[in-house]
């Protein structure tokens, strides 16, 4: 019997992270022994290279606006592990998490003893905890895929609606080296006869998704096809767009999350929400829907943590995400000096990410490092700088707190400081800023 929160986390994080296999048999057996809680849930399933978390957040607020109790499953967490399993935006309480671990641990122990390849992995256990927790608590669960789709442990569920936000290069060792290969993995969440909403994808990736939808007889709703969106003039801290789908038109949708990619995420969420409500023959209110979208926030996605000077955190951790962030900087902040404190995990596309940030007007980049999760570590900033010696606007400060301090001493109150490169990095930074605020 596990008696406290720390021991519960130690049990979860002490499990194997990955076991290479080409099936979900272990996860299905795990679920069967727990009574198949996933079959007792109404679910919207969200996959994609980037944009999953924001899309989940929009869906959560849209569904809550209809009076539903909404569970969300996301990864990774920013501040505390409990965020990954939340109900109506509130993370699972510590005592409930301990109870969940004790509830599933006997089954884990049994599978450890009886399966030749051993029992469930860390993510399989977290997924099982989520299904078990949501079973008797929520009206609908919005479940984010961990990695890929086909072999992700969440893929034992059958959703009401599937969403595929984006397809780009990330996790190539697991998902494949081409966009069609990666798209094939993501397409694995499409289920027989269930509608799928698709964001703005490269044509070669979209073709794979379309073929899978046809094979599964799943209605497909695509951005710029069935879902029509037109960005509208906006101010610096708001996006506004016209939205048309399934006979409905919204002339001016407003969202706080910045960037053209967030317009796409909100549009995918809105279309999926409308399809979900239609499938259940449930109404929705136009004003409540617009209000829900306007108030949605998602920590760590171009999140301002200070206004004077402007300091922003963004968890962009791969080439597609950095492409989106640099476009946002050029669109809304091209008139400012832009200081960028950048730390990237060594297993990411750090060369391409740095090159993209170099295209930002008036850039000043400080390369730094941080303590990565587990055995993963950040790329050495000195090594990264040696390949960009010709850019006088790149410096190295090994300690990230000192890197931030260096930027703040150099910049003026009119400039922008962006801290980015990894969700794990900005988790550390966010703790730093919030702890300092508490002390103040």
């Amino acid at each position: 019997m596990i008696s406290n929160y720390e021991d519960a986390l130690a049990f979860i994080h002490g499990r194997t992270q990955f076991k290479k296999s080409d099936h979900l048999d272990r996860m299905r057996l795990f679920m069967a022994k727990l009574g198949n809680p996933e079959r007792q849930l109404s679910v919207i399933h969200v996959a994609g290279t980037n944009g999953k978390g924001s899309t989940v957040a929009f869906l959560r607020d849209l569904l809550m606006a209809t009076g539903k109790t909404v569970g969300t499953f996301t990864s990774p967490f920013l501040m505390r592990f409990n965020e990954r399993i939340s109900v109506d935006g509130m993370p699972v309480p510590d005592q409930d998490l301990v109870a969940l671990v004790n509830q599933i641990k006997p089954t884990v122990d049994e599978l450890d003893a009886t399966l030749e390849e051993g029992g469930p992995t860390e993510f399989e256990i977290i997924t099982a905890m989520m299904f078990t927790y949501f079973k008797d608590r929520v009206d609908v669960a919005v479940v984010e895929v961990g990695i890929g789709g086909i072999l992700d442990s969440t893929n034992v569920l059958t959703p009401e609606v599937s969403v595929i936000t984006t397809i780009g290069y990330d996790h190539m060792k697991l998902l494949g080296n081409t966009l069609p290969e990666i798209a094939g993995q993501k397409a694995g969440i499409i289920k027989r006869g269930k509608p799928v909403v698709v964001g703005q994808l490269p044509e070669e990736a979209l073709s794979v998704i379309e073929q899978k939808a046809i094979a599964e007889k799943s209605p497909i709703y695509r951005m710029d096809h069935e879902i029509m969106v037109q960005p509208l003039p906006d101010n610096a801290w708001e996006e506004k767009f016209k939205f048309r789908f399934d006979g409905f038109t919204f002339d001016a949708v407003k969202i706080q999350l910045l960037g053209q990619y967030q317009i796409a995420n909100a549009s995918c969420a809105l279309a999926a929400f409308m399809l979900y409500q239609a499938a259940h023959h449930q109404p929705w209110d136009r004003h409540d829907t617009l209000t829900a979208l306007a108030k949605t926030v998602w920590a760590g996605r171009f999140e301002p943590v200070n206004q004077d000077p402007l300091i922003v955190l963004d968890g962009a951790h791969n080439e597609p995400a950095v492409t989106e962030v640099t476009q946002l900087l050029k669109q809304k902040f091209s008139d400012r000096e832009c200081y960028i404190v950048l730390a990237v995990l060594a297993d990411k596309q750090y060369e391409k990410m740095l090159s993209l940030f170099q295209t930002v007007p008036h850039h000043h980049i400080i390369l730094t490092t941080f303590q990565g999760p587990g055995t993963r570590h950040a790329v050495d900033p000195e090594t990264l700088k040696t390949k960009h010696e010709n850019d006088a606007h790149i410096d190295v400060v090994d300690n990230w707190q000192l890197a931030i301090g260096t930027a703040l001493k150099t910049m003026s109150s009119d400039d922008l400081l962006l801290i980015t490169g990894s969700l794990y990095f900005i988790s550390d930074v966010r703790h730093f800023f919030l702890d300092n605020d508490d002390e103040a």
Side-chain angles (χ1 to χ4, degrees):
M1 175 72 73
I2 289 175
S3 60
N4 60 63
Y5 177 77
E6 290 72 23
D7 288 349
L9 285 188
F11 168 75
I12 294 166
H13 296 321
R15 301 295 301 188
T16 302
Q17 288 197 318
F18 292 106
K19 290 182 179 178
K20 194 169 180 62
S21 61
D22 59 357
H23 57 76
L24 288 172
D25 293 352
R26 182 177 57 251
M27 188 64 189
R28 291 193 179 98
L29 177 61
F30 190 15
M31 290 293 95
K33 288 184 175 294
L34 291 173
N36 290 118
E38 80 284 1
R39 296 181 185 176
Q40 300 167 57
L41 288 170
S42 179
V43 179
I44 298 175
H45 205 189
V46 182
T49 302
N50 294 311
K52 297 187 294 293
S54 300
T55 301
V56 168
F58 283 122
L59 276 165
R60 175 198 63 208
D61 290 346
L62 286 165
L63 292 160
M64 285 177 63
T66 68
K68 293 181 177 67
T69 300
V70 184
T72 53
F73 183 59
T74 55
S75 58
F77 62 92
L78 269 186
M79 304 299 285
R80 294 191 84 224
F81 174 87
N82 307 45
E83 297 165 22
R84 299 182 69 168
I85 303 172
S86 296
V87 175
D88 288 350
M90 298 300 295
V92 54
D94 290 0
Q95 66 271 20
D96 287 356
L97 189 138
V98 173
L100 273 173
V101 169
N102 283 318
Q103 186 174 349
I104 68 164
K105 188 175 183 300
T107 304
V108 174
D109 293 341
E110 178 189 346
L111 294 174
D112 280 345
T114 57
L115 290 179
E116 186 176 342
E117 75 267 28
T121 65
E122 178 183 1
F123 190 69
E124 288 169 348
I125 286 172
I126 299 168
T127 303
M129 290 168 58
M130 174 269 296
F131 285 140
T132 302
Y133 190 67
F134 287 165
K135 175 171 65 78
D136 299 318
R137 286 178 172 83
V138 306
D139 300 313
V140 54
V142 186
V143 174
E144 177 186 318
V145 168
I147 293 177
I150 291 177
L151 298 176
D152 190 76
S153 62
T154 64
N155 204 32
V156 295
L157 63 82
T158 299
E160 307 280 340
V161 183
S162 298
V163 182
I164 300 173
T165 56
T166 58
I167 302 289
Y169 291 105
D170 200 14
H171 300 295
M172 281 94 80
K173 288 182 179 178
L174 295 171
L175 304 182
N177 292 314
T178 69
L179 290 181
E181 286 177 322
I182 296 170
Q185 292 291 323
K186 310 285 187 191
I189 71 165
I190 299 174
K191 297 298 196 303
R192 193 75 174 175
K194 301 297 184 180
V196 56
V197 173
V198 181
Q200 291 172 322
L201 308 186
E203 189 58 43
E204 57 188 318
L206 179 59
S207 176
V208 173
I209 304 296
E210 290 171 335
Q211 290 169 25
K212 177 66 172 178
I214 291 170
E216 295 294 342
K217 295 182 168 54
S218 297
I220 185 169
Y221 302 93
R222 304 158 298 175
M223 285 281 290
D224 302 323
H225 293 80
E226 294 77 17
I227 306 165
M228 298 303 297
V229 176
Q230 177 187 350
L232 299 172
D234 49 56
N235 61 47
W237 287 106
E238 181 182 84
E239 300 289 357
K240 188 162 64 172
F241 60 97
K242 184 174 182 178
F243 175 89
R244 191 167 70 249
F245 175 65
D246 197 29
F248 292 92
T249 298
F250 291 89
D251 289 323
V253 181
K254 296 179 182 180
I255 58 174
Q256 291 183 54
L257 295 176
L258 295 184
Q260 295 296 307
Y261 53 99
Q262 294 293 9
I263 291 177
N265 294 334
S267 299
C268 284
L270 182 51
F273 163 74
M274 293 166 67
L275 289 168
Y276 180 89
Q277 292 297 102
H280 288 266
H281 307 288
Q282 294 173 348
W284 49 273
D285 180 83
R286 179 178 289 264
H287 176 265
D288 291 347
T289 295
L290 289 172
T291 301
L293 291 169
K295 76 180 186 67
T296 297
V297 294
W298 189 236
R301 278 64 175 184
F302 215 82
E303 176 189 14
V305 292
N306 193 76
Q307 288 296 337
D308 190 14
L310 179 58
I311 304 174
V312 176
L313 307 183
D314 194 280
H317 58 282
N318 54 36
E319 183 185 358
V322 172
T323 298
E324 292 167 343
V325 171
T326 54
Q327 288 172 348
L328 170 58
L329 291 171
K330 294 170 185 177
Q331 176 195 1
K332 290 183 179 285
F333 301 99
S334 61
D335 59 334
R336 302 193 190 210
E337 296 290 316
C338 186
Y339 289 78
I340 301 167
V341 173
L342 179 66
V344 186
L345 286 171
D347 56 6
K348 294 293 183 177
Q349 300 157 297
Y350 48 83
E351 285 278 3
K352 293 179 179 178
M353 293 166 67
L354 176 56
S355 296
L356 285 165
F357 279 122
Q358 287 177 281
T359 68
V360 174
H362 319 300
H363 69 262
H364 308 268
I365 300 172
I366 302 176
L367 302 175
T368 190
T369 188
F370 70 105
Q371 182 66 48
T375 59
R376 301 170 73 191
H377 58 89
V379 64
D380 174 37
E382 287 287 359
T383 301
L384 188 52
K385 179 176 167 54
T386 56
K387 299 183 180 181
H388 298 271
E389 293 287 359
N390 294 332
D391 190 335
H393 299 291
I394 297 179
D395 293 310
V396 171
V397 179
D398 284 331
N399 179 288
W400 65 258
Q401 291 97 330
L402 291 178
I404 293 171
T406 299
L408 291 173
K409 287 177 184 176
T410 309
M411 62 192 288
S412 77
S413 59
D414 295 326
D415 300 336
L416 164 67
L417 171 57
L418 172 66
I419 304 168
T420 188
S422 166
L423 280 166
Y424 296 103
F425 174 41
I426 66 162
S427 173
D428 291 347
V429 176
R430 204 165 183 269
H431 274 288
F432 173 76
F433 275 98
L434 291 184
D435 290 346
N436 283 352
D437 282 348
D438 290 343
E439 290 171 9

